[in-house]
Amino acid sequence: MTSRTIRNIFVAAAACLGLAAQARDFRSADVHPVDYPTVAAVNHMGQLLKERSQGKLGVRVYASGALGTEKDNIEQLRLGGLDMMRINVGPLNSVVPETLVTVLPFVFRSTEHMRKVLDGPIGDEILAAMESHGLVGLAFYDSGSRSFYTSKKPIRTVGDVKGLKVRVQQSDIFVAMIEALGGNPTPMPYGEVYTALKTGIVDAAENNWPSYESSRHFEAAKFYSLTEHSLAPEVLVFSKKVWDTLSKQDQAMLRKAAKDSVPVMRKLWDAREVKSRKMVESAGSQVVQVANKQEFVDAMKPVYARFASTPKLKDLVRRIQETQ
């Protein structure tokens, strides 16, 4: 072996080591289990990123709340101690005011309406608003329609909510929603809800079909009432502090991979909703129809008056409602 060949081998090895040293897996947090559609979709995003960056970039998802509560993760993100997370927009309401409009009860008429709004200029505007608060909004995911589930009696009318202790996300707007219905809101992290339902700390909670099923909440609260009061989406957010250290090329790849993971997430989500409903019904959950959904809609007027209170937020609500 000639000295030139040996030198070339060392040069190639050094180059490989350099590439390996530059390779980076962004840490992403999620409170849901590994087989949940949002987790699977972020993993898919990571695969796209790895392929397109030729192994330089990727994503490692820490599922099942391994990195703490969603509230903790938001702070970690803003401080630069965490790269990315998937979160429902509810806990972001106190951080990014524009996200409030997507959480307003009954603001979206249907899943199709929600997707059209968030895939368009309104969605882009809300994502862009996050940057001044230490976050970079990458893409919206589905979170399905949220309904109430109860441990002792079903909810059929607004009157049935009166006096119930209802777990809600750590979000002022969800607290106000329960208060407007006459219930007693109890904000708490997602991971504590099962025990709270089992022990009677709360009488009810509200969430979508996959969360109701995967969390085993149906074991403690068998009445699932189809109020479908919220289509508040999930969102992929990135740390602005970390983002600003990346090249424009890497930033563009991250945005594209996130957007390209959305159709995959929606396909997984739609299938999981059907599967989850069948599973909980087979396990004995009772699906309760709500005869007069309009009375729930009418009860939300004080919530809109309180939270969509600025000209900017009122305009966002108007534009959402006018989207066909």
Side-chain angles (χ1 to χ4, degrees):
M1 187 179 294
T2 66
S3 59
R4 177 177 289 183
T5 302
I6 293 171
R7 187 171 62 251
N8 289 342
I9 290 172
F10 274 112
V11 169
C16 288
L17 286 170
L19 286 172
Q22 293 173 18
R24 180 171 184 180
D25 279 345
F26 297 112
R27 296 187 312 139
S28 184
D30 202 305
V31 297
H32 290 301
V34 291
D35 64 339
Y36 203 78
T38 57
V39 178
V42 177
N43 278 323
H44 178 73
M45 172 190 168
Q47 291 169 4
L48 293 177
L49 200 58
K50 196 168 286 288
E51 290 167 7
R52 294 169 184 178
S53 68
Q54 297 180 321
K56 179 184 171 186
L57 303 175
V59 177
R60 182 177 180 185
V61 183
Y62 292 81
S64 301
L67 298 182
T69 67
E70 290 184 323
K71 189 175 182 180
D72 292 337
N73 294 154
I74 294 170
E75 286 310 305
Q76 291 165 3
L77 225 64
R78 297 176 81 187
L79 293 170
L82 177 66
D83 300 314
M84 194 171 88
M85 72 181 298
R86 185 286 323 157
I87 190 171
N88 187 274
V89 290
L92 287 176
N93 292 168
S94 60
V95 180
V96 186
E98 289 82 356
T99 62
L100 279 165
V101 295
T102 66
V103 183
L104 286 168
F106 305 105
V107 72
F108 297 118
R109 295 185 296 274
S110 63
T111 297
E112 292 70 31
H113 178 228
M114 180 268 294
R115 289 174 176 175
K116 187 166 186 180
V117 168
L118 297 181
D119 286 347
I122 296 173
D124 289 340
E125 186 176 325
I126 295 169
L127 291 175
M130 297 181 187
E131 294 210 21
S132 61
H133 303 282
L135 305 169
V136 177
L138 296 178
F140 285 106
Y141 279 175
D142 283 26
S143 188
S145 59
R146 300 173 75 97
S147 291
F148 290 109
Y149 44 91
T150 48
S151 57
K152 296 172 184 175
K153 64 174 185 177
I155 292 172
R156 290 190 170 89
T157 67
V158 167
D160 292 330
V161 183
K162 189 174 182 179
L164 289 182
K165 293 174 291 184
V166 186
R167 180 269 171 175
V168 293
Q169 297 184 73
Q170 293 162 301
S171 161
D172 290 345
I173 201 164
F174 276 88
V175 169
M177 177 183 71
I178 301 303
E179 290 175 340
L181 295 172
N184 299 318
T186 306
M188 69 172 62
Y190 180 72
E192 297 176 14
V193 182
Y194 181 88
T195 301
L197 285 166
K198 272 286 191 181
T199 58
I201 293 174
V202 296
D203 306 306
E206 53 81 51
N207 220 314
N208 53 54
W209 285 112
S211 294
Y212 177 56
E213 171 263 310
S214 66
S215 61
R216 312 297 293 181
H217 291 176
F218 66 89
E219 295 176 348
K222 69 176 182 178
F223 302 106
Y224 192 93
S225 301
L226 292 173
T227 50
E228 299 175 316
H229 51 266
S230 175
L231 278 156
E234 312 282 358
V235 63
L236 284 182
V237 286
F238 205 90
S239 168
K240 180 74 161 56
K241 283 199 171 184
V242 178
W243 184 264
D244 289 343
T245 68
L246 303 175
S247 69
K248 296 293 183 186
Q249 183 182 9
D250 288 350
Q251 290 175 355
M253 276 196 289
L254 271 164
R255 285 194 188 278
K256 184 72 164 59
K259 290 283 190 183
D260 288 348
S261 73
V262 174
V264 174
M265 188 275 166
R266 288 176 177 171
K267 185 177 180 180
L268 292 170
W269 183 266
D270 292 344
R272 181 63 181 266
E273 277 196 322
V274 173
K275 179 184 176 183
S276 294
R277 178 169 180 169
K278 286 180 180 177
M279 285 175 67
V280 298
E281 286 183 303
S282 298
S285 287
Q286 298 180 31
V287 180
V288 181
Q289 297 295 328
V290 175
N292 183 11
K293 196 179 288 186
Q294 189 59 43
E295 69 165 339
F296 286 87
V297 176
D298 293 341
M300 294 302 108
K301 289 177 182 177
V303 180
Y304 276 70
R306 176 181 168 187
F307 290 97
S309 55
T310 67
K312 183 174 185 179
L313 296 184
K314 285 179 181 177
D315 183 61
L316 274 172
V317 169
R318 178 190 61 78
R319 287 160 58 200
I320 288 172
Q321 293 175 335
E322 289 178 356
T323 301
Q324 298 297 321

